[in-house]
Amino acid sequence: MTHTHKTNSRLMLGKLRRALAIEGEGQERLDRIPAIIAESMDCEVCSIYLFRDDETLELCATEGLKPEAVHKTRMRLGEGLVGRVAKFQRILNTDDAPNMRGFRFMPETGEEVFISFLGVPIQRLGERLGVLVVQSKEKRRFLEDEIYALEVVAMVIAEMAELGAFVGEGAALSALHKQARLFRGGVAQEGIAEGNVYLHEPRVVVTNPIGEDSEIEHARLTKAIDTLRVSVDEMLDTAGASDKDQLNVLETYRMFANSKGWINRMQSDIESGLSAEAAVEKEQSLARTRLGQVPDHYLRERLHDLDDLSNRLLRILTGQGEKTGAELPENPILIARNIGPGDLLEYGRKLRGIVLEEGSVGSHATIIARAMAIPLVIHANGITTEALNGDHILVDGEQGVVHLRPDEAVVGAFKDKMAMLEKEQERYSSIRTKPAETLDGEIITLTMNAGLMADLPSLQSSGASGVGLFRTELQFLVRNEMPKRSHLCSLYSKVLAAADGQRVVFRTLDIGSDKVLPYLEPQDEPNPAMGWRAIRVGLDKTGIMRMQLQALIRAANGGPLTVMFPFVAQFEEYRDARAMLETEIQREAKKGHPIPSKIEIGAMLETPSLAFAPDRFFEEVDFISIGGNDLKQFFFAADRENERVRRRYDTLNVSFLTFIERIVRRCNDIGTPVSFCGEDAGRPIEALCFAAMGLRCLSMRPASIGPVKSLLRRTNLSQAKTVIQAARERGDQSVRPAIIGWLRGR
Ligand code: PEP
Ligand code: MG
């Protein structure tokens, strides 16, 4: 026999609202729910299972099972039908439960065999909270509207749980946003920090999931959607027509804001008894669950857009502001799904650490976090849903690990680690003014990489001998429009002033590849890293490069000027760029600006081809700087942004080291000054091996100067060379094991 009950979820929610409105302890309130559902749905059993920890579900309230089983019966994620609903976050509806895969009979619950089973996940914005189940002895397949009604109730339970309505008894209930959580992500900037959570985006809390009057809720939703549409139209009007990406996103917003399907679904959620904001959140939760399951990149992006739009709508409905509104706590650790470079610069150095759900090693936010030396962990899945403002948090940017609400033992171990790192820092500062001189008397010049005004204080504090690489594109990346020549000139002047006579190597604009300027037309290239980038753009679109060169000449103001061109792949490119600079100097002189007292014009060696350029090139160029990040990616044909292939090839691979050695030897033979400025120069062991290959000038992040210098000062370079030579002769793939073994053995 099949039941054809048409469950009226409005009625059920009405009863729930009245039952939950009565004061009571957490457990007491939770206990009122199953009876109402069981009765409304005409079932013998209704149970609420909530997560006790990431892996275990616990029976927390029931109608129809043995009351003694409450808080006793537990199951692991994936175990039994309930565990499967939780694991796959899918509804399970069967009229033949005992024969379903995974069925587990639990005598302790006093379960007679209930043949029919309907389970729906209790989840909020992608965060799994538990499972809501109804069971019946009668053979019965639940109907669409019954399933829907149960989903709506599950949503209300999730909202109430979020508000802490059931907190009090039962580990599972009290645990929400209270338990210690560990997140494993990726390292984007090293360093470790202890502090308190600050959410970049406000967390909207729905305080009234159940609507009293559907007419009112409909009107509220309609009004909010109108407001949303107007604001999207306004954003479209003000968005720069040139910014295709932004326009694209906004067009998608507009499409969603007018999407019948989306609005209809929310309207029927209201019809079934939810408040307007709960309806928005229900659809948002659905989109988030899908987000986790969609492999297609384009679709994922669109679901993200919908998620952002839902957030906006929620903010309009609840009146909870754009910004968190919360004061920055002491030692703030910023938590966000993702963040743009502009926003990050606004927070500036106030932040102790940053944790992102998304992000990438090469993103602009990462570049800025690195420049400011703020520990940054990316890909910390789920942290924005789990963390609350003010939560205690430890960020380990060395391991890519984040501890949220850590327990004592973890805090203790973390403090030890911090103290150890601090001790190291002390040691580094004690050698700050000392040279990086090896035990056998070789002096290595250590300079720093920079790109932001925020870097300049490090010139003094790090003990760097000037700036070996000033990435000028950062100034172009962090704004929404092309900077003006006067602006660049004043910035470069400040950099030179801060350097106080020390050499600063300005690298001309290196855009393209992963560095996309928001105000330039994006290039649709199949392989941007090998595409129209850096000097190639500068030579083709001479306007920007000339403007930049003029700004540099004016900033030098009659003093010395050092310029370096990025990504030179052949002699001609260097010649053309050099000629351009010389022409600009003459032009500036004609206009009455002082010309630099001394000018050095270098090239970055970032493609293997340049290592084999004619001797004439090495004679004409004033200096060479090896851009190891790019050189390595082209040497091994392994994308520097692609974690999967990037790690395959060690920088200390014998082939790569030998290649570096040959470049250095060639430069030395001809008398061309050579340095190395890729990220690897900042890793002590790599730096040591480069020095052993003959490099005498290394440029790195300011924070790396101490550790590199410290190791160099304790090492005998000729012995290191012998170790490397022996590894080569043995045919080792990488010299790393040999070098580490030798360093340990000393
Ligand atoms: C490099 O490629 O090594 C380099 C220093 O340049 P960037 O990392 O800016 O491409
Ligand atoms: Mg490069």
Side-chain angles (χ1 to χ4, degrees):
M1 192 179 86
T2 320
H3 265 264
T4 51
H5 298 280
K6 189 155 174 76
T7 310
N8 187 333
S9 63
R10 279 203 74 74
L11 268 177
M12 183 151 78
L13 284 188
K15 283 185 197 160
L16 270 183
R17 178 159 44 80
R18 285 189 290 278
L20 291 172
I22 304 168
E23 283 299 310
E25 290 297 312
Q27 184 66 43
E28 238 178 282
R29 297 173 104 187
L30 194 68
D31 283 338
R32 294 177 202 147
I33 301 176
I36 295 174
I37 300 175
E39 193 206 343
S40 307
M41 294 189 66
D42 199 8
C43 291
E44 289 92 347
V45 176
C46 172
S47 312
I48 299 173
Y49 297 84
L50 294 171
F51 275 99
R52 188 181 168 79
D53 53 50
D54 280 353
E55 291 292 319
T56 327
L57 286 148
E58 180 175 300
L59 177 67
C60 287
T62 185
E63 167 72 21
L65 302 183
K66 277 190 194 160
E68 307 88 86
V70 169
H71 296 308
K72 299 261 163 16
T73 292
R74 294 196 185 136
M75 62 208 62
R76 296 188 61 75
L77 191 64
E79 184 190 2
L81 300 187
V82 173
R84 289 172 70 85
V85 173
K87 179 165 180 190
F88 301 112
Q89 292 288 293
R90 287 220 189 96
I91 295 165
L92 205 150
N93 178 16
T94 175
D95 58 2
D96 190 12
N99 287 315
M100 281 293 286
R101 197 168 149 228
F103 177 80
R104 206 196 74 167
F105 180 67
M106 283 180 297
E108 71 272 26
T109 58
E111 267 181 300
E112 299 172 50
V113 178
F114 293 101
I115 291 180
S116 305
F117 174 104
L118 171 61
V120 301
I122 302 174
Q123 57 117 341
R124 185 180 181 274
L125 298 180
E127 183 186 19
R128 307 159 163 190
L129 299 171
V131 178
L132 177 61
V133 175
V134 289
Q135 287 169 288
S136 144
K137 271 188 248 173
E138 200 173 6
K139 193 170 173 66
R140 155 181 187 193
R141 232 184 136 74
F142 293 90
L143 301 174
E144 276 297 310
D145 57 345
E146 290 173 315
I147 298 172
Y148 180 77
L150 201 64
E151 266 190 300
V152 168
V153 175
M155 153 94 202
V156 170
I157 295 176
E159 283 309 321
M160 304 291 293
E162 173 70 22
L163 285 174
F166 310 127
V167 171
E169 283 159 64
L173 300 177
S174 309
L176 203 57
H177 302 302
K178 290 208 169 53
Q179 254 172 358
R181 286 286 307 266
L182 171 90
F183 297 87
R184 278 183 205 286
V187 175
Q189 163 64 25
E190 293 86 356
I192 70 176
E194 176 181 16
N196 303 299
V197 166
Y198 182 79
L199 295 170
H200 176 54
E201 292 237 286
R203 185 189 181 81
V204 178
V205 194
V206 175
T207 46
N208 56 334
I210 306 174
E212 279 180 49
D213 181 339
S214 64
E215 287 302 309
I216 295 177
E217 298 305 319
H218 278 306
R220 290 181 64 227
L221 182 67
T222 309
K223 189 160 166 248
I225 290 176
D226 284 345
T227 312
L228 179 73
R229 282 182 188 147
V230 172
S231 76
V232 172
D233 287 346
E234 275 171 9
M235 285 192 284
L236 266 165
D237 285 345
T238 50
S242 57
D243 187 347
K244 282 216 174 116
D245 275 348
Q246 200 190 346
L247 283 179
N248 254 335
V249 170
L250 289 173
E251 281 297 348
T252 318
Y253 277 7
R254 174 141 77 181
M255 194 187 79
F256 280 127
N258 289 293
S259 146
K260 285 252 156 40
W262 185 48
I263 296 167
N264 283 346
R265 282 197 304 277
M266 293 191 290
Q267 280 170 342
S268 55
D269 293 334
I270 289 180
E271 218 31 65
S272 63
L274 291 183
S275 66
E277 44 270 62
V280 176
E281 210 173 82
K282 179 163 180 289
E283 294 313 312
Q284 193 182 10
S285 285
L286 205 73
R288 284 234 183 140
T289 315
R290 288 204 192 121
L291 200 63
Q293 294 159 354
V294 172
D296 180 78
H297 179 72
Y298 177 80
L299 254 178
R300 282 179 64 91
E301 286 289 306
R302 297 291 77 83
L303 282 169
H304 258 170
D305 294 342
L306 180 59
D307 196 68
D308 283 341
L309 203 66
S310 303
N311 271 336
R312 281 171 195 273
L313 199 51
L314 276 177
R315 282 186 219 132
I316 296 171
L317 276 166
T318 57
Q320 294 169 26
E322 278 285 325
K323 289 274 167 212
T324 317
E327 292 270 310
L328 269 191
E330 224 183 305
N331 300 322
I333 308 274
L334 188 80
I335 307 286
R337 293 259 297 285
N338 214 340
I339 188 166
D343 278 350
L344 193 50
L345 277 174
E346 249 175 61
Y347 287 109
R349 288 183 185 272
K350 281 180 270 184
L351 301 177
R352 287 280 164 275
I354 308 165
V355 184
L356 302 179
E357 288 215 2
E358 296 163 15
S360 79
V361 189
S363 78
H364 306 154
T366 302
I367 293 174
I368 288 169
R370 292 189 83 94
M372 297 196 284
I374 302 173
L376 166 61
V377 171
I378 54 175
H379 302 160
N381 225 330
I383 191 147
T384 56
T385 346
E386 185 61 45
L388 295 183
N389 268 330
D391 276 350
H392 185 203
I393 184 170
L394 310 174
V395 180
D396 185 343
E398 307 285 318
Q399 309 288 334
V401 168
V402 178
H403 302 274
L404 184 66
R405 302 181 285 264
D407 53 39
E408 294 286 315
V410 173
V411 176
F414 197 82
K415 288 225 158 104
D416 288 349
K417 191 166 175 177
M418 273 174 88
M420 200 185 75
L421 287 178
E422 241 162 62
K423 257 220 180 92
E424 272 176 14
Q425 287 304 330
E426 272 165 33
R427 203 171 71 220
Y428 304 147
S429 61
S430 72
I431 54 170
R432 193 174 63 87
T433 53
K434 302 214 164 105
E437 183 174 359
T438 63
L439 291 178
D440 46 348
E442 294 288 350
I443 292 183
I444 319 291
T445 304
L446 305 183
T447 58
M448 66 175 239
N449 295 348
L452 294 170
M453 291 307 288
D455 291 323
L456 299 183
S458 304
L459 255 167
Q460 308 304 324
S461 59
S462 67
S465 313
V467 177
L469 166 67
F470 191 88
R471 290 182 161 108
T472 60
E473 63 276 6
L474 296 196
Q475 287 303 323
F476 286 73
L477 280 170
V478 296
R479 47 172 48 79
N480 293 320
E481 53 187 21
M482 181 78 77
K484 298 212 164 40
R485 182 178 58 197
S486 56
H487 175 90
L488 290 180
C489 177
S490 97
L491 177 97
Y492 301 152
S493 311
K494 282 186 195 140
V495 174
L496 288 168
D500 195 22
Q502 299 201 79
R503 185 168 176 259
V504 178
V505 181
F506 288 100
R507 172 175 79 182
T508 61
L509 205 53
D510 181 4
I511 47 163
S513 187
D514 68 310
K515 299 167 193 156
V516 185
L517 297 190
Y519 39 86
L520 280 193
E521 196 168 336
Q523 303 297 315
D524 193 11
E525 295 184 298
N527 195 340
M530 294 200 263
W532 194 56
R533 55 173 288 199
I535 187 92
R536 300 171 182 177
V537 180
L539 291 174
D540 292 354
K541 257 195 188 292
T542 52
I544 306 179
M545 176 125 123
R546 285 179 40 211
M547 183 268 280
Q548 191 184 24
L549 294 174
Q550 290 157 8
L552 283 167
I553 298 163
R554 289 185 195 182
N557 197 24
L561 176 65
T562 311
V563 176
M564 158 165 97
F565 296 110
F567 213 63
V568 175
Q570 56 181 8
F571 188 9
E572 279 298 298
E573 287 165 342
Y574 172 75
R575 267 197 175 150
D576 292 347
R578 182 176 185 118
M580 224 160 115
L581 176 53
E582 281 163 353
T583 308
E584 288 314 316
I585 291 176
Q586 282 162 16
R587 280 210 189 121
E588 288 295 293
K590 270 199 200 129
K591 284 192 204 155
H593 294 289
I595 60 167
S597 57
K598 174 185 172 201
I599 177 123
E600 288 178 273
I601 310 175
M604 284 188 78
L605 196 156
E606 303 187 269
T607 62
S609 63
L610 201 64
F612 302 95
D615 283 352
R616 271 302 282 276
F617 163 72
F618 288 90
E619 285 157 18
E620 275 184 31
V621 74
D622 294 331
F623 63 93
I624 293 278
S625 187
I626 300 174
N629 305 336
D630 276 311
L631 186 63
K632 190 178 152 199
Q633 85 166 334
F634 296 117
F635 187 76
F636 289 113
D639 188 342
R640 63 193 260 191
E641 298 295 321
N642 182 340
E643 293 295 309
R644 196 164 182 181
V645 297
R646 187 180 71 86
R647 290 170 189 278
R648 250 182 128 87
Y649 306 99
D650 190 357
T651 304
L652 301 188
N653 178 296
V654 166
S655 316
F656 190 58
L657 276 189
T658 305
F659 186 45
I660 299 283
E661 186 180 41
R662 300 231 168 122
I663 295 168
V664 175
R665 203 175 289 156
R666 198 156 177 221
C667 288
N668 290 346
D669 288 349
I670 300 177
T672 318
V674 58
S675 59
F676 187 107
C677 67
E679 296 303 311
D680 285 319
R683 304 193 168 99
I685 293 179
E686 277 80 340
L688 168 64
C689 293
F690 292 155
M693 294 298 101
L695 278 160
R696 288 296 173 269
C697 179
L698 302 170
S699 197
M700 61 199 70
R701 286 186 295 132
S704 298
I705 290 183
V708 168
K709 191 192 281 184
S710 166
L711 180 64
L712 288 173
R713 286 175 58 85
R714 286 178 286 139
T715 311
N716 182 312
L717 211 52
S718 62
Q719 280 177 15
K721 248 192 260 179
T722 314
V723 174
I724 292 174
Q725 189 49 31
R728 270 172 171 163
E729 281 162 16
R730 270 198 308 275
D732 292 1
Q733 178 162 281
S734 163
V735 307
R736 189 179 303 275
I739 281 285
I740 290 180
W742 169 66
L743 287 173
R744 285 222 178 99
R746 283 180 319 166

